[in-house]
Amino acid sequence: MKKIILLFAFALCTVSTYAQTEEELKALKASKMDSIAAIQGRANAIQAQIDALPGWKTGAFGTIGANLSSFDKWYSQGSPNVNSGNIGVTLNGFANLKREKYFWRNNLNVNLQWVKFDDRDDATDDDSFQEATDVFNIQSLYGYKLNEKFAVSTLGEYRTTILNNFNDPGYLDIGVGATWTPIDNLVVVIHPLNYNFVFSSGDDIFESSLGAKIVADYTRQIGAINFKSNLSTFQSYKSSDLSNFTWINSFGYTLWKNIGVGFE
């Protein structure tokens, strides 16, 4: 009986000691995490000071993906003998110059994608990759600062396709107005005087016109996360049928040595 009591007491002591040790380890881990957060906060503050320095700032992020499949006698689907594939590339780049009295901001967006669906039982089926997404967009904004928040500015923006029908149509916006930068990562462009040049062989469908241009761009990098949202609108003074807008949202997360995941 004494042996049983001693064994039970020893077990209780062991559990108590383990629990106490686990709590101590959790407390130690919490203090280390607080230290990491404090260090990261100081590092972010230093990075913000670096970003605020005048001069050129450049960067880029994007995604590359591919999915290739071949099915042979896979009767679970309607076409049992199929070669299929999907290849996509996106790129977001920037080159920004910041000076005491002026700034010059340049953005590039490319989004290309090819798809393939070859039914080998259909002799007329196309077995090649076809263009599915085809976007090329470049913006260049120059501004002379009136103060830290407002500037008089001029903007040039060109967008078209590059895999097929290059510059047919192509859109070129050139205008003047004002730029508002309420925070470091947000740029809002309001140009009431803007001409939208449209280059196209179908003159009966596309037409150049005078109008207003509004652009809002938010670009942010937080550690391994890259995020960009760009809204570009043109409101024609001649007809709403000649107006247009483009809204592109991009996200990238670095997992390991510039390799990660993303979407656009």
Side-chain angles (χ1 to χ4, degrees):
M1 185 66 180
K2 291 182 179 180
K3 291 182 179 180
I4 295 176
I5 294 174
L6 289 174
L7 182 61
F8 181 71
F10 178 76
L12 287 178
C13 291
T14 302
V15 172
S16 177
T17 303
Y18 174 76
Q20 187 177 23
T21 303
E22 183 179 6
E23 292 300 324
E24 291 174 353
L25 290 174
K26 288 182 178 180
L28 180 61
K29 178 183 177 182
S31 66
K32 296 298 183 183
M33 295 299 293
D34 291 341
S35 299
I36 293 174
I39 294 172
Q40 186 62 53
R42 292 194 295 270
N44 292 340
I46 295 173
Q47 185 60 51
Q49 294 177 357
I50 294 174
D51 294 337
L53 293 174
W56 281 101
K57 299 292 188 301
T58 60
F61 72 96
T63 60
I64 300 175
N67 183 0
L68 305 176
S69 302
S70 180
F71 294 90
D72 185 42
K73 297 182 178 61
W74 185 253
Y75 293 104
S76 297
Q77 61 185 15
S79 302
N81 302 298
V82 169
N83 292 329
S84 63
N86 185 304
I87 301 174
V89 178
T90 69
L91 173 65
N92 289 277
F94 68 89
N96 299 331
L97 176 63
K98 184 176 183 180
R99 296 298 187 193
E100 181 180 358
K101 293 295 184 180
Y102 66 91
F103 59 82
W104 185 21
R105 303 176 62 90
N106 303 277
N107 295 318
L108 171 68
N109 174 262
V110 179
N111 188 332
L112 308 175
Q113 188 176 46
W114 297 263
V115 296
K116 175 181 180 178
F117 187 90
D118 174 27
D119 185 350
R120 298 195 301 274
D121 295 329
D122 184 355
T124 64
D125 203 14
D126 190 351
D127 62 352
S128 63
F129 279 92
Q130 303 179 50
E131 298 89 356
T133 305
D134 192 357
V135 177
F136 178 85
N137 193 316
I138 187 169
Q139 293 178 349
S140 184
L141 173 68
Y142 176 85
Y144 183 83
K145 297 180 181 179
L146 301 177
N147 53 48
E148 287 301 316
K149 301 296 183 182
F150 290 94
V152 292
S153 57
T154 179
L155 171 73
E157 178 183 352
Y158 176 71
R159 67 182 187 277
T160 184
T161 57
I162 56 178
L163 298 177
N164 194 12
N165 297 327
F166 175 74
N167 203 42
D168 189 14
Y171 300 86
L172 174 62
D173 281 290
I174 298 178
V176 293
T179 294
W180 177 44
T181 53
I183 57 178
D184 290 339
N185 302 303
L186 177 63
V187 178
V188 180
V189 180
I190 303 174
H191 286 178
L193 186 60
N194 182 92
Y195 200 82
N196 179 239
F197 296 91
V198 183
F199 310 100
S200 173
S201 58
D203 294 334
D204 56 333
I205 302 176
F206 301 97
E207 184 179 348
S208 303
S209 64
L210 182 68
K213 184 76 173 180
I214 299 176
V215 175
D217 184 273
Y218 183 81
T219 304
R220 186 76 184 272
Q221 180 177 359
I222 306 175
I225 299 175
N226 290 279
F227 176 78
K228 182 178 181 66
S229 181
N230 184 279
L231 173 65
S232 177
T233 69
F234 171 75
Q235 181 62 50
S236 175
Y237 293 145
K238 184 176 182 179
S239 170
S240 61
D241 293 335
L242 303 178
S243 303
N244 58 72
F245 76 91
T246 303
W247 188 17
I248 302 172
N249 293 282
S250 305
F251 172 87
Y253 179 76
T254 303
L255 296 173
W256 177 74
K257 291 185 177 181
N258 295 326
I259 299 175
V261 295
F263 72 84
E264 177 164 311

